[in-house]
Amino acid sequence: MSPSTILREVWRGLGRKPAKPDGFGDMAERFSRRIREFSTPFPPVSRPGKVAVLVTPWMCTPVPFFSLEIAWMLRREGYEVTLLWDRSNVFFNAARGREIDAVLRVLKGLPAGLDYVDVSAITAPAAPQSPALDLLLYENAVRQIRGEGGAPAFLAANPERTVEMYAHAGRVRKVLGDGGYSWVLIPGGVWAASGLYVEIAEALGTPFTTFDCGPGAMYLAHDGVAAHLGDVPGAFREIKERCDRTPSEREDVIRLAEADLRVRMEGRDEYRLQPRPASASVEHRCDILVPLNYRADTAALCRQRVFPSITAWLEAILRWLETRPGVYLSIRQHPCERIEEFKGHDRWDELIARFPAVRDRVTLVLAEDTVNTYDLLRCASVVLPYTSRVGIESALLGKPAILSTHCYYDNCGVAWSASTPEEYFSLIDQALDKALPVTAERRESAAIAYYIIERCLELRTDFTPTPSEFARWVEIPPDELWAQPALRTVRETLISRRRIPLMRYESFLEAK
């Protein structure tokens, strides 16, 4: 599970911290027992291509067993499957010897025909210096310490993290480059070793699928990171084309998207992030709204484009604001940070204090403040998201959003995108001058993107690697487990490589 999936359990108001496993060794034994009880001889390989499945320790959660369950299903479906067993401790993912030993015991007990490669034992030269790998290192340090401020110092104090990342990148490149795999299944895709597999698969042109899971929910993305909502752009293009051809579909999508937005604005959605319903008023002036992400969340990692970090981005905005008298800025901390376990360590108040000339025109709205984000949005002239869906919601409410990042809705016709700082601030000036009108077509694109995120992206299922749900599904016979409707969808998307959001959209149409 990524940090974002753990947050979902809190956001959904379950009233408890994420469930603790009975013990990783116990989970490993239960999965081994499942293999012994339900294994039958595999059929001959009948499907073209080779599939690789990454199996790696994951904070003592059942993630490696979840990967093995999917690999087992694919082998029964007639695929040639190779397990990529990766025990390298790239960024604290394999820090516990007992976890490594327990997974290895399971691997050694797998039936004939489901073999593994020990990636960590591969001999290969370290990868050459790479901006992409340096970014992965930096972002993993940000995740580790829950903020940007101490990330460079953390890496300087832990040079072994850099050495191991580059050494292991060489092994992963050799395994993927020599393996001839048709596609690779990767848990996560940003954190620790998993980020290397995505980075190198993309560089080699090897197709891949990532998954991310939380309590009662699964996300899959083909050739993208699930936590980055990597399937949204492809699904958006196809659904937009359908809506252009069929006005009745377009009207339904817009109506449902607007209804979902009203629920979130009133604080009635399942996450209940807003402390009170929107009232269309705030106590301070807000010309520009900056809705921050939770910085340590996977959704915000490795998304930089124009600015090297969120700190650099905010500094640039504040410097620009010094040259624009009369313009007021609101920076909205992510509401999830009102939960003690998820408070970030970046001090944005101290950053703002370094710009005394604009201090009276900048309001930092803290996570615990009883301010509704949508009141700020409706008062603003322009919204500057990082990767927040507030950028989509702003277009639905008729306000322009400007992106400086590699965001999942970057190319959906929802927001304006910049590729340089000069272009970014030029767009902000235009928005303040009312020269970036949100047209009906842009609102329609926002509605389609929002509909996909709210209704098509998440697959509701108890088949997840959360410990409590693992304890249930590990006892269900595989044929019975994979006959469940949600898992039939998982099976189909892995075999057909079609995107789950599009498949779910089509199923909604059939049910009308």
Side-chain angles (χ1 to χ4, degrees):
M1 293 185 296
S2 71
S4 58
T5 61
I6 297 172
L7 273 173
R8 290 185 192 110
E9 186 159 350
V10 179
W11 289 350
R12 283 182 172 144
L14 298 185
R16 62 181 186 273
K17 294 181 181 179
K20 292 183 179 179
D22 295 330
F24 193 80
D26 176 67
M27 290 191 290
E29 175 53 36
R30 295 180 73 176
F31 193 81
S32 292
R33 187 168 64 245
R34 173 179 180 78
I35 294 288
R36 292 193 300 268
E37 183 175 353
F38 297 117
S39 282
T40 56
F42 289 126
V45 172
S46 58
R47 294 184 184 270
K50 296 167 58 180
V51 178
V53 175
L54 175 60
V55 179
T56 187
W58 204 273
M59 298 182 286
C60 281
T61 69
V63 166
F65 309 130
F66 185 83
S67 297
L68 284 171
E69 182 70 29
I70 295 175
W72 191 15
M73 178 275 292
L74 291 170
R75 184 61 191 86
R76 292 197 307 272
E77 289 290 332
Y79 283 100
E80 180 182 350
V81 178
T82 299
L83 304 173
L84 303 181
W85 163 232
D86 197 329
R87 55 186 167 82
S88 290
N89 188 25
V90 172
F91 225 98
F92 307 107
N93 60 302
R96 300 172 180 86
R98 62 185 178 86
E99 184 181 13
I100 296 171
D101 292 343
V103 177
L104 188 55
R105 287 197 300 272
V106 174
L107 290 171
K108 289 180 177 179
L110 292 174
L114 198 54
D115 302 319
Y116 68 90
V117 172
D118 187 345
V119 180
S120 304
I122 296 293
T123 300
Q129 187 72 26
S130 161
L133 294 184
D134 287 344
L135 179 58
L136 270 178
L137 280 161
Y138 171 76
E139 294 292 273
N140 275 274
V142 168
R143 178 207 163 274
Q144 185 71 22
I145 63 174
R146 289 193 288 170
E148 292 183 345
F154 177 87
L155 290 173
N158 297 272
E160 70 279 5
R161 299 275 68 88
T162 299
V163 172
E164 181 56 26
M165 177 75 84
Y166 272 88
H168 200 53
R171 300 182 198 111
V172 173
R173 176 173 286 276
K174 180 172 177 57
V175 167
L176 294 186
D178 295 348
Y181 301 117
S182 301
W183 60 277
V184 184
L185 180 69
I186 303 169
V190 179
W191 179 59
S194 74
L196 290 176
Y197 283 83
V198 166
E199 175 62 36
I200 292 168
E202 285 183 325
L204 294 174
T206 301
F208 61 94
T209 296
T210 63
F211 66 79
D212 197 16
C213 302
M218 180 195 296
Y219 300 82
L220 283 163
H222 296 307
D223 300 319
V225 175
H228 291 164
L229 310 192
D231 259 0
V232 169
F236 172 85
R237 287 190 294 271
E238 294 194 50
I239 294 174
K240 176 73 163 60
E241 290 175 2
R242 293 188 62 136
C243 287
D244 288 343
R245 295 194 305 267
T246 313
S248 61
E249 285 186 27
R250 179 173 64 242
E251 291 167 5
D252 284 344
V253 165
I254 293 173
R255 174 177 55 81
L256 292 170
E258 291 175 343
D260 288 340
L261 177 55
R262 285 194 297 273
V263 169
R264 284 174 63 89
M265 292 175 68
E266 294 166 6
R268 295 187 290 111
D269 60 300
E270 62 181 339
Y271 299 120
R272 298 190 294 279
L273 290 177
Q274 300 307 319
R276 64 183 184 184
S279 61
S281 64
V282 291
E283 296 178 355
H284 62 273
R285 181 174 167 183
C286 175
D287 299 313
I288 302 172
L289 171 61
V290 176
L292 296 177
N293 284 78
Y294 174 50
R295 188 60 179 96
D297 187 15
T298 308
L301 300 182
C302 295
R303 299 288 82 199
Q304 296 94 323
R305 181 174 61 201
V306 176
F307 304 100
S309 65
I310 286 183
T311 301
W313 170 56
L314 292 177
E315 287 174 340
I317 291 172
L318 293 168
R319 281 196 300 272
W320 169 87
L321 195 66
E322 289 178 326
T323 68
R324 299 298 187 275
V327 176
Y328 287 74
L329 173 73
S330 291
I331 301 173
R332 181 33 156 152
Q333 186 181 33
H334 197 288
C336 79
E337 293 196 50
R338 66 174 178 259
I339 302 164
E340 186 61 34
E341 294 92 328
F342 303 110
K343 286 186 180 297
H345 294 158
D346 287 310
R347 296 298 305 272
W348 305 124
D349 54 343
E350 294 178 1
L351 178 87
I352 294 167
R354 289 167 37 205
F355 296 84
V358 299
R359 186 64 189 88
D360 292 340
R361 293 187 284 122
V362 179
T363 301
L364 176 62
V365 182
L366 299 174
E368 57 268 24
D369 290 345
T370 55
V371 175
N372 187 297
T373 302
Y374 301 97
D375 287 336
L376 296 169
L377 194 161
R378 291 197 291 193
C379 291
S381 296
V382 60
V383 178
L384 307 180
Y386 196 71
T387 65
S388 171
R389 76 178 62 183
V390 174
I392 302 175
E393 294 165 334
S394 67
L396 278 168
L397 294 173
K399 301 298 178 72
I402 301 170
L403 289 169
S404 64
T405 56
H406 295 291
C407 179
Y408 60 94
Y409 55 88
D410 187 15
N411 296 311
C412 294
V414 172
W416 281 262
S417 296
S419 56
T420 65
E422 294 76 17
E423 184 181 7
Y424 187 65
F425 290 112
S426 174
L427 287 169
I428 296 174
D429 280 329
Q430 293 176 57
L432 293 173
D433 290 338
K434 310 299 182 186
L436 296 182
V438 179
T439 62
E441 181 178 2
R442 199 173 288 271
R443 289 192 191 193
E444 175 189 316
S445 294
I448 294 170
Y450 204 62
Y451 177 91
I452 292 170
I453 296 163
E454 292 291 320
R455 296 185 177 243
C456 302
L457 193 67
E458 181 180 84
L459 194 62
R460 295 297 180 92
T461 175
D462 289 338
F463 176 62
T464 77
T466 55
S468 57
E469 291 171 348
F470 167 81
R472 291 195 294 271
W473 64 255
V474 76
E475 304 297 334
I476 301 173
D479 289 344
E480 181 181 335
L481 178 70
W482 287 94
Q484 295 177 4
L487 269 67
R488 289 202 300 267
T489 301
V490 173
R491 173 189 171 279
E492 182 180 345
T493 191
L494 293 175
I495 290 174
S496 69
R497 309 288 293 164
R498 298 188 70 227
R499 303 179 193 279
I500 283 181
L502 184 60
M503 293 162 57
R504 298 196 72 208
Y505 177 77
E506 291 171 347
S507 69
F508 295 155
L509 294 179
E510 292 170 1
K512 285 179 60 177

